[in-house]
């Protein structure tokens, strides 16, 4: 095997790399502590542009961005959340049920802006390059747009919360979506008082981050990977966090 490259030609300078990883590790799902300050148009433009530069199957770019600041529309979406969340809560009994009901799982009315990122399943026609065998590739592409926006927002000091406790048909109706358009991500955006150092669900004792080394396999599911140096590096990184 060739020696590892010390400084790859096209790597970003260290400070820029650090910035990117910082956005990745310090991004949080935000549901509370939104400030009411509006997001300036030029900042929102940067976030949308970041989303629009996501990779997409066959360069399909199946997304659209619905900016929802109208109180009446948001109240209707919030009512959908309340109904769906009451149903979801019933799935958990005992202590788990008590904990579930304590969790804050949306910021629809408190955040200054709601944004629905949709996926037009018909964009690009019937034969989108790379989507012939796996038709869900348009949905996966749109998720990448969401993640781009989420990371860019963190770098801008803007919190984003994804609300999925919603009936998608009712949501599509409230937003007047055409038949082929799927409401993929309903997001709450705004400046925040703080970004938590750990996921809210971890802090609340709902679920913890899984040890990464246990999730790395060899040449087949459940097979040990013959990569001692990788595992050493993983455990060194894990103990740093
Ligand atoms: C597709 C999808 C859907 C949802 C979420 C995320 C994603 C990716 N998350 C946020 C989720 O709970 C959170 O990402 C994890 O708990 C990890 O926390 P951080 O995002 O690292 O803060 C989320 N959170 C919430 O409070 N209500 C929700 O309905 C949802 N729905």
């Amino acid at each position: 095997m060739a020696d590892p490259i010390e400084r790859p030609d096209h790597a970003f300078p260290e400070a820029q790399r650090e910035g990117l990883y910082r956005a990745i590790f310090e991004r949080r799902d935000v549901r509370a502590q939104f400030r009411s300050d509006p997001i300036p148009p030029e900042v929102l433009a940067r976030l949308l542009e970041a989303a629009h530069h996501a990779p997409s199957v066959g360069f399909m770019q199946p997304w659209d961005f619905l900016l929802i600041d109208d109180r009446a529309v948001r109240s209707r979406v919030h009512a959908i959340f309340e109904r769906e969340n009451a149903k979801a809560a019933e799935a958990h009994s005992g202590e788990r049920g008590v904990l579930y009901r304590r969790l804050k799982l949306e910021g629809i009315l408190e955040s200054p802006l709601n944004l629905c990122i949709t996926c037009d399943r018909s964009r690009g026609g019937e034969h989108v390059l790379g989507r012939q065998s796996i038709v869900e590739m348009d949905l996966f592409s749109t998720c990448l747009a969401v993640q781009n926006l989420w990371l860019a927002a963190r770098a801008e000091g803007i919190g984003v919360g994804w609300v999925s406790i919603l009936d998608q048909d009712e949501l599509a109706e409230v937003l007047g979506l055409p038949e082929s358009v799927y409401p993929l991500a309903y997001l709450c955006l705004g400046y925040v008082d703080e970004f938590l150092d750990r996921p809210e669900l971890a802090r609340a004792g709902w679920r913890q981050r899984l040890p990464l080394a246990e999730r790395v396999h060899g040449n087949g599911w459940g097979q040990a990977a013959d990569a001692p140096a990788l595992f050493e590096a993983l455990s060194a990184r894990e103990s740093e966090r």
Side-chain angles (χ1 to χ4, degrees), residues 15-115:
Q16 293 177 13
R17 256 189 301 148
E18 287 299 316
L20 177 61
Y21 284 117
R22 185 170 174 206
I24 290 170
F25 294 126
E26 295 185 20
R27 180 209 52 76
R28 287 277 77 82
D29 183 74
V30 176
R31 314 84 190 256
Q33 294 179 317
F34 281 110
R35 292 204 211 138
S36 55
D37 319 54
I39 299 171
E42 62 277 12
V43 179
L44 185 57
R46 287 200 289 271
L47 300 187
L48 295 174
E49 195 184 14
H52 190 48
H53 279 245
S56 61
V57 67
F59 206 22
M60 184 184 177
Q61 306 160 74
W63 42 73
D64 281 271
F65 305 96
L66 277 74
L67 307 174
I68 304 155
D69 53 5
D70 187 284
R71 294 288 306 176
V73 176
R74 290 208 263 160
S75 295
R76 291 181 67 194
V77 176
H78 190 253
I80 300 174
F81 167 81
E82 295 266 276
R83 280 198 296 279
E84 290 299 306
N85 197 40
K87 280 193 246 166
E90 289 187 1
H92 306 285
S93 55
E95 269 181 37
R96 204 77 179 148
V98 173
L99 180 53
Y100 183 90
R101 287 174 179 83
R102 258 196 237 130
L103 296 171
K104 168 102 173 99
L105 298 173
E106 53 75 39
I108 297 169
L109 298 174
E110 303 94 307
S111 58
L113 181 67
N114 291 184
L115 171 70

